[in-house]
Amino acid sequence: MAIKKNNNQKAPVVKDTAYYKKQFWKIFLYCLGSVFLVFLLASWGILGSMPSFEELENPESNLATEIISADGETIGKFYNENRTSVKYEDLPKHLVDALVATEDERFYEHSGIDGRGTLRAVTSLGTSGGASTLTQQLAKQLFHGEGSKFLPFRIIQKIKEWIIATRLERQYTKNEIIAMYFNVYDFNNYAVGIRSAAKTYFNKEPKDLTIDESAILVGMFKNSSLYNPVRNAQGVKNRRNVVLGQMVKSKIITEAQKVKYSELPITLDFKLQTHKEGTATYFREYLREFMKGWAKENKKPDGTDYDIYRDGLKIYTTIDSRMQVYAEEAVYAHMANLQKEFAIESKKNKNAPFVNISEAETEKLMGRARKNSERWRIMTAEGKDEDDILKSFSVKTKMRVFSWDGEKDTIMTPNDSIRYYKHFLQTGVMSMEPATGAIKVWVGGINYKHFQYDHVQQGARQVGSTFKPFVYATAIEQQGYSPCDSIIDAPYTIPKGKHNVTETWTPKNSNHEYRGMVTLKKALALSINTVSAKLIDRVGPDAVIDLTKKLGVKSDIPSQPSIALGAVEITVHDMVAAYSTFANQGVYVKPQVIDRIEDKNGNVLYRSVPESHDVLNKDIAYAVIKLLEGVTESGSGARLRTDGGGHGYNRVTGYPYALRNPIAGKTGTSQNQSDGWFVGMVPNLATGVWVGNEDRSAHFKGITYGQGATMALPIWGSFMKKCYQDKTLSVSKEPFERPKNLAIKVDCWVPQVKDTTAVEGDVEQDTDEFDL
């Protein structure tokens, strides 16, 4: 069959080259316009928020607040992110060079975007390496993080990075961008920024980092979780060596240096910086609470509150980091040994650690501890009823507990855990300069992570015979006594009705013996109770209370003669301040812990102003000092002068002090040996030490270990010995300053025959013999 052709079909039109050029440029311009429009929309923030000019000037820093000691050491931080800025000048050249060589070798040539790198990344579809410059990475870190994995959104994010990077390059110098980059990176283990990283991993400032250490930290920029020196030593070593190779390529180090550093092992001085560990933990917690109140009262220029976790404040404190370490070492050495002796004694006690209390009283203490526990709080919040909560305290569970040999994993019931922790002896130690009020040492307990109650500022405890100097000072001021005046040590009674006494009160000496005629200096040295009772009878309790209040003691003190023997609860903080008044020629100076506070730019926001007032004239204050020197010459503090001896002291530090310089001090022991005290002074440093259990019902049974001279004095002696051995400190060994034209006799005649009655120390069981 024949096919009919359609003669009307048109022949195809042949288009010339000009047409295709036109179409090409049309598409190109559309694409270019689209790209321009996207960039424009992104820069306006329509495709997502963009930083303003002000934010570029002051990017969100989230800087940690630094706590800086009087000797310039950072002893702690308050932070959401543990980050402290450093300036470019504080970075070693090899660290900066290693970063540029590894992360962005053309950093100093581009203006935020590396065209060659971007083109290479696009043409190779990312297989030949990323195109992000250091400035782009900084933009990402500062303003929007990692972003979306969805490709269109990822492209928009990349565009925003380019825009922000170019703005950063216009706003900051290259050196400033480098410093910012180092300051914002998260190096893991609570270390954000190079300074925190250097401190955490190597316990150094950035300027002190070696080449191989710098290579380790620069290597972490690739992936700080993967290349974590604590968990992946081999991976970190491999990555470090890659960085060293880049440094050779950029002619920063030689091939020989690379070989040398590549063979080194990964050596860390790892110190995790957390709120509950490190130096001066109790002090830092006190400071945190202080700063919360300060921030409410001191506003920013715009009227908002300072944020101690984000604003990068610098708190310059009076604490001396060297002395703080020595005090913590003294506490650790003594308390670990003393605890062993307490454990030996507790083995013979079926109700350990409690002594001489009934089952009902024991259950009351345990019940209170249960209701104060975290377990009780959590289960109550979950809606559990009290019976179920109580039952849970009898169910064995896995837990990690404190011990002096380190934390231990164990299985025990929560009830057993409570009783276990109540065995531990606690302590509070504070030192301050009498003339300035500057607190140099603050040790609130034995381990902040497990025992967070602060025995310096929070815990008022019965002070025993350390209260007696206040009675003697009142008597010298009101009755004109001198340390050399004589008084009879004999039975003494204050009748019912006098000085608010509800029952006739006849205090007894600790050894139930009487010495007859003694000087006031000898009476205080031997802590004779009858003499203290006589003196308070003559001046009245109210006069003693008035003086004690002038000395800065804030505790409520009952108007009873029994306070003469120490039936008063006072904090270590207030006791040290009160004693310091005697060393400061009768002038009370309020203790202070802060010198100044600065913002992140170094502007001073707060500077402390010393508060002081006159309490006693110089002669009386010096007379009290001479009384207190008698304690360390012939009383319970005399063991500070020797270097051996002591019956039954195999578990404590004995007498290894051999301090020959003038020392004014007083020991104290409260009822049933529940509290042991020693407050000691040299002209420019006063230090108070308290030791005891959390519960007053837990204590040593006997006076050998339970007295202040055994429980507290060794910490003071060990601490002072360490201070004297440190030649960078200036702790005085000189005599206390003697007032000119001293009107009170203080140089007493001393008989040739030594009185050794108190050779085993100050054994003042002060509150056994009276009703409170």
Side-chain angles (χ1 to χ4, degrees), residues 77 82 86 90-92 95 182 187-188 191-210 213-214 217 220 268-271 273:
K77 298 177 183 179
N82 181 16
V86 294
D90 298 324
L91 299 171
L95 176 66
F182 272 116
F187 289 87
N188 266 294
V192 180
I194 191 65
R195 187 162 185 231
S196 293
K199 275 285 186 182
T200 297
Y201 294 112
F202 303 109
N203 195 26
K204 291 182 176 181
E205 290 294 328
K207 62 184 176 61
D208 299 320
L209 291 169
T210 61
E213 291 168 346
S214 296
L217 294 179
M220 294 179 71
L268 306 177
D269 186 2
F270 181 69
K271 295 186 184 302
Q273 296 181 300

Side-chain angles (χ1 to χ4, degrees), residues 237-516:
K237 186 175 182 179
N238 294 340
R239 179 62 185 162
R240 177 199 64 185
N241 295 347
V242 170
V243 174
L244 291 171
Q246 289 297 111
M247 294 175 75
V248 171
K249 182 180 175 183
S250 298
K251 298 183 171 35
I252 299 165
I253 60 174
T254 65
E255 184 67 33
Q257 286 178 302
K258 175 197 169 186
V259 172
K260 170 188 169 185
Y261 292 125
S262 296
E263 292 174 352
L264 293 176
I266 301 297
T267 304
L268 306 177
D269 186 2
F270 181 69
K271 295 186 184 302
L272 193 65
Q273 296 181 300
T274 71
H275 297 311
K276 294 184 178 181
E277 296 177 350
T279 304
T281 46
Y282 291 89
F283 167 73
R284 284 189 271 140
E285 187 57 33
Y286 163 80
L287 193 61
R288 184 203 306 275
E289 293 303 314
F290 174 89
M291 288 301 297
K292 287 180 182 178
W294 179 88
K296 291 179 181 178
E297 297 174 4
N298 298 268
K299 304 290 184 180
K300 292 181 181 179
D302 63 4
T304 60
D305 290 349
Y306 283 100
D307 186 337
I308 65 171
Y309 303 105
R310 299 172 64 88
D311 286 341
L313 303 178
K314 294 187 185 300
I315 309 171
Y316 291 88
T317 72
T318 61
I319 295 292
D320 187 292
S321 69
R322 298 160 295 181
M323 297 171 72
Q324 179 71 28
V325 168
Y326 298 151
E328 291 176 1
E329 288 174 348
V331 163
Y332 184 90
H334 176 64
M335 296 299 289
N337 280 330
L338 192 64
Q339 190 66 50
K340 290 178 182 177
E341 185 60 36
F342 191 77
I344 291 170
E345 188 174 288
S346 294
K347 288 180 180 178
K348 305 171 186 176
N349 178 9
K350 292 182 179 180
N351 195 30
F354 309 114
V355 180
N356 296 330
I357 64 172
S358 65
E359 289 185 13
E361 290 172 313
T362 301
E363 180 52 35
K364 186 176 180 180
L365 288 172
M366 294 292 291
R368 187 186 305 135
R370 291 186 198 102
K371 291 189 176 181
N372 288 333
S373 69
E374 186 71 2
R375 172 180 289 270
W376 191 283
R377 185 190 67 78
I378 292 172
M379 294 185 72
T380 300
E382 292 173 348
K384 305 287 186 182
D385 62 48
E386 189 166 312
D387 287 341
D388 288 340
I389 297 174
L390 286 173
K391 287 177 183 177
S392 75
F393 278 85
S394 299
V395 178
K396 287 188 176 183
T397 183
K398 291 182 180 180
M399 60 182 71
R400 173 165 288 189
V401 298
F402 169 80
S403 83
W404 280 110
D405 296 321
E407 290 184 339
K408 293 184 176 180
D409 293 317
T410 187
I411 299 175
M412 65 172 73
T413 69
N415 277 330
D416 290 338
S417 172
I418 290 172
R419 193 177 282 265
Y420 170 79
Y421 277 116
K422 286 188 177 294
H423 276 76
F424 283 95
L425 294 159
Q426 299 293 330
T427 189
V429 183
M430 190 185 104
S431 294
M432 69 173 271
E433 293 178 346
T436 66
I439 294 176
K440 312 307 290 183
V441 164
W442 185 307
V443 184
I446 58 173
N447 183 284
Y448 181 76
K449 182 177 180 180
H450 293 276
F451 306 95
Q452 296 181 12
Y453 190 80
D454 183 358
H455 292 285
V456 168
Q457 179 79 352
Q458 289 178 295
R461 296 293 293 241
Q462 204 168 95
V463 295
S465 289
T466 51
F467 191 86
K468 289 177 180 176
F470 307 150
V471 179
Y472 280 67
T474 307
I476 293 172
E477 182 181 43
Q478 293 200 2
Q479 301 289 319
Y481 287 115
S482 85
C484 303
D485 286 341
S486 295
I487 193 168
I488 296 176
D489 171 20
Y492 193 78
T493 297
I494 296 180
K496 178 181 178 180
K498 189 176 184 181
H499 302 312
N500 306 313
V501 173
T502 56
E503 297 291 340
T504 298
W505 181 50
T506 305
K508 298 177 182 178
N509 292 331
S510 58
N511 59 2
H512 302 282
E513 295 180 359
Y514 304 95
R515 296 171 179 81

